[in-house]
């Protein structure tokens, strides 16, 4: 198994200097859960380099409250140094730890070319592509009343359509390797009566871009209380041969490799026997081995 989606810092907590000890502790906990390789994938928006490039992407948001909320969120997050982070993970690799260098990259409409240019200057192994906001609406920020209030002000079908469109555009940009938590829009527990059309579009986005998709246990820790993606979407991805990674999306040590055994059981039910890993953004196939040897 892999844990290809890990953060060093919880949201709402200021970043600290990344250390080899923290990465080593993540590897140790992952290994104890049967995970053989991890990817550190901190959010791009936690780094001053992203601040320099992307600050103010919310400026044309007409809703004053949403605009202010995004500005505040951005200010609270964009402080770490990308070079320090990269050096720390590269040092961990050099020390022989089973870790690869990644990043979680949000979709910035009309800005992905500049984002790709920034990231091309670093030796990333894997880039996760994510949609956490529709326009400037942070639909998954459960702690923000302004963001959560929007779920009452909008139609669920429209939210899903906007999310799916952003994922399609992100995939088409070619900037990333893996579609992270592919149906994150369900996080707060709002699902349309017929999600199948969005599932089909998300599957097509993965196929046409050649991206892998992530099977993540993080949804079990959220109000929706199920893995990402939902079974219906996962079955579509598997049926069409979209390669998968597995992930916990932990933001702290105790959640590293969370429910890896449940993810393994899901893969076994669907007869998935390989995962996709990455080296220098090139795909590598990982054999899961006999079911009995899985965690
Ligand atoms: Zn995410
Ligand atoms: Zn994440």
């Amino acid at each position: 198994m892999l844990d290809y989606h890990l953060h060093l810092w919880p949201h709402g907590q200021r970043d600290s200097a990344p250390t080899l000890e923290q990465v080593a502790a993540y590897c140790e906990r992952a290994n104890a859960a049967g995970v053989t390789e991890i990817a550190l994938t901190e959010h791009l928006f936690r780094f001053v380099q992203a601040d320099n490039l992307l600050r103010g992407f919310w400026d044309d948001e007409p809703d004053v409250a949403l605009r202010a909320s995004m500005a505040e969120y951005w200010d609270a997050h964009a402080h770490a140094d990308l070079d320090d982070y990269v050096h720390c993970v590269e040092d961990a690799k050099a020390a022989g730890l089973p870790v690869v260098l990644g990043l979680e990259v949000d979709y910035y409409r009309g800005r992905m070319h500049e984002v790709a240019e920034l990231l091309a200057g670093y030796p990333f192994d894997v880039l996760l592509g994510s949609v956490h906001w529709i326009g400037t609406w942070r639909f998954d920020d459960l702690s923000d009343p302004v963001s959560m209030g929007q779920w009452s002000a909008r139609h669920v079908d429209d939210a899903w359509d906007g999310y799916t469109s952003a994922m399609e555009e992100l995939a088409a940009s070619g900037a990333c390797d893996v579609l992270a938590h592919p149906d994150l829009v369900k996080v707060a527990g709002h699902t349309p009566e017929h999600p199948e059309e969005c599932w089909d579009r998300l599957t097509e986005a993965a196929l046409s871009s050649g991206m892998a998709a992530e099977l993540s246990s993080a949804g079990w820790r959220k109000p929706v209380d199920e893995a990402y993606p939902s079974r219906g979407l996962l079955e579509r991805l598997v049926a069409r041969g979209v390669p998968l990674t597995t992930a916990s999306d932990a933001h702290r040590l105790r959640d590293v490799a969370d429910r890896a055994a449940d993810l393994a059981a899901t893969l076994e039910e669907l007869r998935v026997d390989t995962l996709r890993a990455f080296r220098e953004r090139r795909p590598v196939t990982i054999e899961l081995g006999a079911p009995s040897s899985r965690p």
Side-chain angles (χ1 to χ4, degrees):
M1 292 289 282
L2 303 170
D3 192 343
Y4 251 45
H5 190 150
L6 291 166
H7 299 274
L8 294 172
W9 310 301
H11 294 287
Q13 182 176 309
R14 190 64 187 265
D15 53 276
S16 52
T19 65
L20 198 57
E21 289 70 29
Q22 190 177 7
V23 181
Y26 274 33
C27 289
E28 193 179 327
R29 189 172 178 94
N31 191 255
V35 169
T36 53
E37 182 174 293
I38 69 169
L40 261 290
T41 58
E42 195 46 80
H43 292 287
L44 172 62
F45 63 75
R46 299 227 49 158
F47 298 101
V48 290
Q49 286 83 352
D51 189 31
N52 297 336
L53 188 67
L54 295 161
R55 168 170 288 278
F57 77 86
W58 53 84
D59 281 347
D60 58 0
E61 167 62 56
D63 185 312
V64 176
L66 280 179
R67 197 167 67 230
S69 172
M70 182 55 94
E72 193 181 320
Y73 185 80
W74 193 265
D75 283 341
H77 281 82
H79 298 284
D81 183 72
L82 186 55
D83 294 278
D84 288 350
Y85 167 79
V86 168
H87 288 149
C88 176
V89 180
E90 289 291 287
D91 285 350
K93 286 167 67 173
L97 293 173
V99 58
V100 298
L101 175 63
L103 205 64
E104 180 172 10
V105 181
D106 271 282
Y107 178 56
Y108 299 91
R109 181 169 284 151
R111 307 293 291 274
M112 294 312 286
H113 182 68
E114 296 152 78
V115 169
E117 268 185 0
L118 168 68
L119 301 182
Y122 293 89
F124 289 112
D125 291 302
V126 61
L127 296 174
L128 308 185
S130 296
V131 170
H132 294 106
W133 45 72
I134 298 166
T136 61
W137 172 36
R138 297 194 313 287
F139 61 84
D140 74 330
D141 193 347
L142 302 166
S143 63
D144 178 44
V146 172
S147 300
M148 288 304 102
Q150 289 287 309
W151 277 112
S152 319
R154 305 187 189 211
H155 291 292
V156 172
D157 286 355
D158 293 342
W160 274 61
D161 179 59
Y163 171 83
T164 304
S165 296
M167 287 287 272
E168 289 169 334
E169 291 167 27
L170 169 66
S173 78
C176 299
D177 308 305
V178 183
L179 288 171
H181 36 60
D183 56 353
L184 178 67
V185 67
K186 72 184 178 184
V187 62
H190 306 285
T191 302
E193 204 175 329
H194 296 291
E196 297 84 1
E197 189 212 323
C198 288
W199 290 345
D200 288 338
R201 288 168 59 191
L202 290 164
T203 303
E204 206 54 51
L207 274 173
S208 58
S209 63
M211 293 172 79
E214 177 186 274
L215 173 60
S216 168
S217 62
W220 275 311
R221 307 193 300 272
K222 295 291 164 60
V224 68
D225 194 22
E226 64 173 35
Y228 307 112
S230 293
R231 190 63 173 231
L233 175 53
L234 182 60
E235 286 175 355
R236 281 165 169 75
L237 293 165
V238 170
R240 301 292 298 278
V242 173
L244 300 175
T245 67
T246 46
S248 68
D249 202 353
H251 284 67
R252 51 180 68 77
L253 179 61
R254 71 163 185 259
D255 292 329
V256 171
D258 184 35
R259 298 186 69 159
D262 291 325
L263 298 181
T266 300
L267 294 173
E268 195 180 330
E269 282 168 30
L270 295 175
R271 300 179 190 281
V272 175
D273 52 15
T274 61
L275 292 176
R276 173 157 285 185
F278 291 87
R279 300 281 183 280
E280 296 174 344
R281 304 200 57 206
R282 286 194 293 274
V284 175
T285 299
I286 303 286
E287 302 286 339
L288 279 169
S292 57
S293 68
R294 296 185 197 174

